[in-house]
Amino acid sequence: MSVRTAVPIAMRVSWLVLFALVIGEFVTDLPGPGWATTSLPAVVVFALMAATTVLQRRAAAPRGEPRPPVEVDPPVTGRWSALNSPADRTPSHGTHVYGQTYAIDIVADPETGEGAPPARPAFRWLWPVFRRNGAFPAFGLPLLAVGDATVVRASDGQRDHVSRNSLAGVVYLLLIEGNIRSILGAHRIIGNHVILDLGGGTYAVYAHVRRGSLRVKPGDTVRAGQALGQVGNSGNTTEPHLHFHLMDGPDLDNARGVPFTWRGVGVPANGETFTVAERTGERAGERTGAQAESRAAGQAESLPGERAAGA
C-alpha cells in the first residue's frame, strides 16, 4: 500500500476514533480520571489528524518540473465564467489532494435579455439561505468529452442538494458538511462524477454531475464532444457548477494534478467569461436535445414540493 493510499485511511480512522471517544464519554462511565480516558486520547487523535493532513497534502503535491499543459477540448458549450482557476494560483483550490492542483470551477453565465435563460443568482449574506437547483442556469447543461477516451469511472447515484450560496450555507458547508464528506472519502467530496482515460497517462475528472444523468459507464469508449451527462449539484458544492481537472492516474487518492488548456479558450482566470460555440453535426444535435430535456426537468424541480435535502 502506497503512502498516498494509507494517509487518507489513517485520517478516516482518526475521525472514527474521535467520534468513538465522544460517544463513549456520554453513554458509558469509563474507569479512571476523565483526562486519561477522554482528554488525553482526544489530544493524541487530533495530533494524528493534523499529521495525516500534512502528509496527505505533501504526498499529493506534484514532483519535479510541471508537465506541459495538455490541450483538450472544452467540456461545455455556451457562455461560462471561471472560479478557483489555476490561471490565478496553484493549487487552485488550496490543496493538491485528489489530483486537483490545476482544477477549475466554471458556472454558466448566459447573456441577459428578453428570451434569455435566467441569470445566475448572486451570493446573499442573509436571505435566501438556500435556493433550488432550477434557479441556476448551469444546472442540467450538457457535459462533453474533452477528447477521445475510455470511461474508467462513472457514478451518478448521489442526490443533488440545494445551494449553499449564502453566509449561513457556506458556514454550514465549511464547518459541518465538508468535514463529514472528508471523512467519507473522495467520492463524497466530488459527488457524482465521471473519469475519462485520455491516454498518455492523463485522466479527466468531471465532478458534481447531476444525479441519474450519466449516459456512459465504465469501459465505454467516447469521442470528443460526445455528451456524457449533465451539470449537477452533488458533493461538496455551494451551487450547481462543473469542477474539472486533469490528473496522472484514475485513483483520486493516489493521483497528482496535470496542467490543462482548453482548445480555443486557454485557461480562463477567476471571473473571466468565455464562450464556446456549439459544434455542428450529429453529436451537437444530441446535445441540443439533452439541453432542452434538462431545462424541462430543471423547471419541474423548481416547483413546490421538491424535497429540500441537507448534506
Side-chain angles (χ1 to χ4, degrees):
M1 180 183 296
S2 69
V3 172
R4 286 186 288 171
T5 300
V7 167
I9 295 174
M11 172 67 77
R12 292 166 204 158
V13 170
S14 299
W15 275 105
L16 291 174
V17 171
L18 181 61
F19 287 148
L21 288 171
V22 172
I23 294 172
E25 178 67 17
F26 282 98
V27 302
T28 65
D29 184 16
L30 298 175
W35 67 267
T37 59
T38 304
S39 300
L40 181 59
V43 169
V44 173
V45 169
F46 273 119
L48 178 60
M49 290 168 60
T52 54
T53 298
V54 173
L55 286 172
Q56 186 179 35
R57 291 177 177 175
R58 288 182 177 178
R63 297 289 187 263
E65 292 296 321
R67 288 175 52 176
V70 177
E71 186 179 53
V72 294
D73 290 340
V76 294
T77 59
R79 190 171 185 265
W80 296 74
S81 291
L83 303 171
N84 302 317
S85 170
D88 292 272
R89 67 165 185 170
T90 54
S92 57
H93 286 57
T95 180
H96 297 287
V97 298
Y98 309 138
Q100 59 181 335
T101 300
Y102 306 98
I104 191 170
D105 295 330
I106 57 174
V107 293
D109 191 9
E111 296 281 2
T112 58
E114 187 176 352
R120 172 189 171 219
F123 177 87
R124 297 295 183 187
W125 289 102
L126 296 176
W127 192 263
V129 175
F130 65 85
R131 295 180 187 270
R132 301 185 190 279
N133 291 318
F136 294 85
F139 187 69
L141 291 183
L143 298 172
L144 314 176
V146 295
D148 296 345
T150 301
V151 179
V152 292
R153 302 278 174 85
S155 173
D156 65 354
Q158 299 180 48
R159 60 181 174 75
D160 296 285
H161 57 69
V162 294
S163 74
R164 296 6 178 168
N165 66 332
S166 66
L167 178 60
V170 169
V171 169
Y172 166 74
L173 177 68
L174 293 177
L175 298 183
I176 301 176
E177 182 177 4
N179 285 322
I180 293 174
R181 291 185 182 278
S182 295
I183 297 168
L184 296 176
H187 68 291
R188 289 295 177 181
I189 294 289
I190 67 172
N192 300 323
H193 61 279
V194 60
I195 300 178
L196 303 181
D197 181 357
L198 301 175
T202 303
Y203 296 78
V205 179
Y206 301 69
H208 314 311
V209 175
R210 185 179 183 180
R211 184 178 189 175
S213 71
L214 287 181
R215 300 183 175 189
V216 296
K217 62 184 184 300
D220 287 353
T221 56
V222 296
R223 304 284 294 179
Q226 181 176 332
L228 303 174
Q230 298 172 7
V231 176
N233 196 34
S234 58
N236 214 47
T237 64
T238 57
E239 66 176 87
H241 73 282
L242 170 63
H243 169 109
F244 175 88
H245 70 265
L246 299 184
M247 55 188 189
D248 64 2
D251 185 349
L252 289 160
D253 284 327
N254 273 297
R256 292 190 172 98
V258 173
F260 77 91
T261 182
W262 285 330
R263 194 168 286 113
V265 174
V267 183
N270 287 343
E272 182 180 343
T273 300
F274 62 96
T275 301
V276 181
E278 184 77 23
R279 298 171 197 166
T280 59
E282 180 181 354
R283 285 177 297 188
E286 291 176 357
R287 293 197 298 275
T288 303
Q291 183 169 345
E293 180 182 321
S294 67
R295 282 289 173 214
Q299 291 173 0
E301 184 153 345
S302 65
L303 296 175
E306 178 193 13
R307 183 167 64 95

